[in-house]
């Protein structure tokens, strides 16, 4: 939606902190490093920032938005701290774009940082809750944790159901991991860069049936930042602006025990509206940056974002569309499956989509990329946020 | 059923005022869910509000069938 040249929202800066392993940095230092780099990338003067967003994730009084505003010295007049898990940043761009259109802020900084790998080790998400009364599980999770439910187990139930209903195969899911690995091989910083085959994925250790180790994302350190501003201000900045063409998000449940339909996410009921806002269809999208916490996550999102009918994602990926050279290259930075996943990956989807639309993708550049869709999944396919970004000004 | 949880090696719930009746029932061998006294909406897990209308739900025994 265009509102004239003055307040059309654009992404004017992107940055990553250090990854995949940065034991010298704590979570807040990742936020700081990402901010320093996004100021350098964009050419924005820090004093011009008048809006700030952090999803937190490192804890209240640590990296929540108000603590971080003080720590970074951002005197904001607009703030957001929406926390929907890994998709938080897609919601942030939705909210920031609206704030910029409304004139509530003109230069908004989003930062994220996590030292998950160095601090917590590699068992996070695959292990169970700790036991004993002192570690008693509060809230709704108290009705799942005693039965051994884990994060991977929740996504495994989604995969099982998708296989049961639609005949999706492990080979088809593995194809997703293999395609993303090809892009990771072009990213010198990616966590895993070895050659990978479908047989390797299926032959890797079973973590939660039917998800093998290599169906699961990596665990790393990392952080990122975005700078959103008006098209008018971006003219005096360093980078070609990338336009926010449409954005939306929705929730179907939070805990997996409350999931109404394992094979359809909340993305299915918003994607048509977001394409309509942008005046686009799925056929207009040149590259997708999707939350690949697990291979099955991508499969469900492909269907719910309108790239194929419900149940047909397996056949769709098997046709090779998501690979380098395909019609819909996926996760051109190496994704969470092979490059980096510090806990909430949604910001990297937006960073990579922007890099592609600037034409700065180096070897991984998708030729002629003009439109990219970044779709995040938070929780257990619970909160889906999507952002359509474009190289050109919205019509 | 034993009410002794000392040998339980899996995670345990943090029992609060709303969830206590459910967990107490499990120790008596009863599986319960909630039903709204207004419209009859049924829900699990137990919580302080009916997710359909917002009223305070009641705990009822599952038939076990």
């Amino acid at each position: 939606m265009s509102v004239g040249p003055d307040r059309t929202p654009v992404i004017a800066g992107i940055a990553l902190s250090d990854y995949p392993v940065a034991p010298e940095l704590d979570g807040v230092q990742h936020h700081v490093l990402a901010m320093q780099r996004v100021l350098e990338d964009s050419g924005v003067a820090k004093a011009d920032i008048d809006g700030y967003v952090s999803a937190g994730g490192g804890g209240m009084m640590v990296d929540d938005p108000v603590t971080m505003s003080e720590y970074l010295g951002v005197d904001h007049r607009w703030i957001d701290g929406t926390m929907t898990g890994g998709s938080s940043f897609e919601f942030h761009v939705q909210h920031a774009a609206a704030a910029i259109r409304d004139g509530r802020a003109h230069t908004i900084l989003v930062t994220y940082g996590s030292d998950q790998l160095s601090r917590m080790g590699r068992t996070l998400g695959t292990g169970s809750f700790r036991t004993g009364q002192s570690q008693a599980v509060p809230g709704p999770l108290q009705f799942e944790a005693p039965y051994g439910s884990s994060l991977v187990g929740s996504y495994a139930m989604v995969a099982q159901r998708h296989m049961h209903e639609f005949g999706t195969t492990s080979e088809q899911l593995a194809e997703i991991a293999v395609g993303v690995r090809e892009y990771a091989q072009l990213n010198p910083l990616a966590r895993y860069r070895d050659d990978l085959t479908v047989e390797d994925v299926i032959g890797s250790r079973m973590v939660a049936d039917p998800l093998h180790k290599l169906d699961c994302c990596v665990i790393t350190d990392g952080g990122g930042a975005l700078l959103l501003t008006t098209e008018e201000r971006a003219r005096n900045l360093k980078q070609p602006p990338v336009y926010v063409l449409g954005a939306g998000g929705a929730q179907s449940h939070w805990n997996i025990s409350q999931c109404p339909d394992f094979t359809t996410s909340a993305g299915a009921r918003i994607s048509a509206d977001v394409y309509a806002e942008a005046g686009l269809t799925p056929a207009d999208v040149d590259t997708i940056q999707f939350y690949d916490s697990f291979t099955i996550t991508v499969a469900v999102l492909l269907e719910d974002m309108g790239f194929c009918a419900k149940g047909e994602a397996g056949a769709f990926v098997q046709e090779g569309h998501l690979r380098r050279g395909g019609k819909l290259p996926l996760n051109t930075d190496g994704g969470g499956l092979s490059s980096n996943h510090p806990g909430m990956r949604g910001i990297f989807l937006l960073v990579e989509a922007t890099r592609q639309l600037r034409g700065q993708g180096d070897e991984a550049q998708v030729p002629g990329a003009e439109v990219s869709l970044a779709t995040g999944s938070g929780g257990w396919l619970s909160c889906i946020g999507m952002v359509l970004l474009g190289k050109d000004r919205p019509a | 059923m034993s009410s002794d949880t000392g040998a339980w090696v899996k995670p345990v719930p943090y029992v609060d005022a709303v969830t206590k009746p459910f967990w107490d029932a499990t120790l008596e061998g009863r599986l319960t869910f909630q039903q709204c006294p207004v419209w009859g909406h049924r829900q699990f897990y137990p919580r302080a509000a009916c997710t359909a209308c917002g009223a305070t739900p009641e705990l009822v025994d599952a038939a076990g069938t």
Side-chain angles (χ1 to χ4, degrees):
Chain A
M1 180 174 61
S2 173
V3 292
D6 50 336
R7 295 207 302 254
T8 296
V10 301
I11 294 178
I14 52 173
L16 302 173
S17 69
D18 288 350
Y19 70 96
V21 186
E24 73 284 6
L25 301 176
D26 68 18
V28 170
Q29 288 174 293
H30 279 283
H31 279 269
V32 171
L33 189 55
M35 179 192 75
Q36 291 167 338
R37 289 177 178 171
V38 85
L39 293 173
E40 174 62 27
D41 174 73
S42 61
V44 165
K46 182 170 167 297
D48 286 341
I49 297 169
D50 66 348
Y52 178 70
V53 191
S54 170
M60 275 306 290
M61 312 305 282
V62 178
D63 73 345
D64 61 86
V66 285
T67 303
M68 286 305 302
S69 285
E70 175 188 279
Y71 190 99
L72 297 173
V74 173
D75 297 325
H76 65 80
R77 61 184 179 123
W78 180 87
I79 191 166
D80 184 20
T82 300
M83 169 55 173
T84 62
S87 60
S88 298
F89 311 92
E90 282 67 40
F91 286 81
H92 296 166
V93 168
Q94 177 195 343
H95 300 168
I100 287 168
R101 280 196 194 96
D102 289 350
R104 298 186 187 282
H106 57 64
T107 306
I108 296 173
L109 171 69
V110 183
T111 65
Y112 167 64
S114 169
D115 58 353
Q116 178 169 262
L117 173 62
S118 293
R119 179 169 41 91
M120 303 189 77
R122 298 183 59 244
T123 60
L124 190 81
T126 60
S128 63
F129 289 87
R130 282 185 282 180
T131 60
Q133 284 294 345
S134 65
Q135 300 291 337
V137 180
L141 264 180
Q142 72 184 273
F143 298 100
E144 298 182 17
Y147 307 101
S149 178
S150 68
L151 193 159
V152 186
S154 298
Y155 278 91
M157 288 195 282
V158 174
Q160 287 282 13
R161 188 70 197 176
H162 207 278
M163 290 177 166
H164 173 77
E165 284 199 29
F166 308 120
T168 309
T169 66
S170 288
E171 288 79 4
Q172 290 168 336
L173 294 181
E175 164 66 24
I176 294 169
V178 170
V180 170
R181 177 64 62 89
E182 286 180 356
Y183 275 111
Q185 291 182 316
L186 304 177
N187 175 358
L189 294 176
R191 182 83 165 125
Y192 294 124
R193 304 183 67 217
D194 299 339
D195 289 345
L196 186 70
T197 66
V198 166
E199 292 70 34
D200 292 336
V201 177
I202 294 169
S204 64
R205 178 170 62 92
M206 188 67 85
V207 176
D209 194 4
L211 297 179
H212 310 82
K213 178 187 171 190
L214 295 174
D215 285 298
C216 305
C217 65
V218 300
I219 291 176
T220 67
D221 301 324
L226 303 170
L227 255 169
L228 290 101
T229 188
T230 64
E231 179 189 47
E232 185 173 25
R233 282 176 175 263
R235 287 203 193 99
N236 299 318
L237 298 173
K238 284 162 71 172
Q239 301 289 350
V242 165
Y243 295 86
V244 181
L245 304 180
Q251 172 171 348
S252 51
H253 61 285
W254 184 246
N255 298 286
I256 197 69
S257 71
Q258 305 300 306
C259 179
D261 178 350
F262 279 131
T263 58
T264 302
S265 77
R269 57 182 160 91
I270 54 161
S271 55
D273 286 346
V274 175
Y275 288 118
E277 179 187 358
L280 299 172
T281 71
D284 296 313
V285 177
D286 299 307
T287 172
I288 54 173
Q289 311 298 330
F290 277 8
Y291 209 107
D292 55 349
S293 46
F294 303 93
T295 49
I296 185 63
T297 318
V298 172
V300 173
L301 292 180
L302 277 171
E303 296 164 352
D304 295 347
M305 296 292 105
F307 293 100
C308 58
K310 179 53 63 186
E312 293 180 2
F316 183 85
V317 302
Q318 212 159 29
E319 290 165 7
H321 302 306
L322 307 186
R323 292 215 191 193
R324 192 177 182 214
K327 69 176 182 184
L328 198 64
L330 165 74
N331 295 354
T332 48
D333 63 340
L337 287 166
S338 284
S339 178
N340 66 339
H341 190 299
M344 297 196 292
R345 191 163 199 283
I347 197 163
F348 306 132
L349 309 174
L350 296 153
V351 167
E352 181 61 16
T354 302
R355 186 175 79 115
Q356 286 286 341
L357 297 174
R358 286 178 179 180
Q360 297 173 350
D362 299 323
E363 265 195 280
Q365 180 65 44
V366 174
E370 295 182 351
V371 175
S372 184
L373 173 61
T375 301
S377 163
W380 299 264
L381 269 175
S382 316
C383 272
I384 309 301
M386 60 182 288
V387 180
L388 267 169
L389 295 174
K391 174 173 155 295
D392 297 320
R393 191 160 196 286
Chain B
M1 290 287 291
S2 166
S3 63
D4 177 14
T5 57
W8 185 253
V9 295
K10 289 182 177 174
V12 296
Y14 181 87
V15 178
D16 58 34
V18 172
T19 67
K20 188 172 189 301
F22 170 84
W23 291 114
D24 283 350
T26 64
L27 296 176
E28 296 167 4
R30 292 186 294 116
L31 176 64
T32 57
F33 61 92
Q34 283 184 320
Q35 186 165 298
C36 179
V38 182
W39 301 104
H41 175 76
R42 293 168 173 183
Q43 65 187 28
F44 183 84
Y45 50 91
R47 60 200 99 175
C50 168
T51 57
C53 75
T56 302
E58 295 167 346
L59 206 61
V60 296
D61 283 5
T65 53

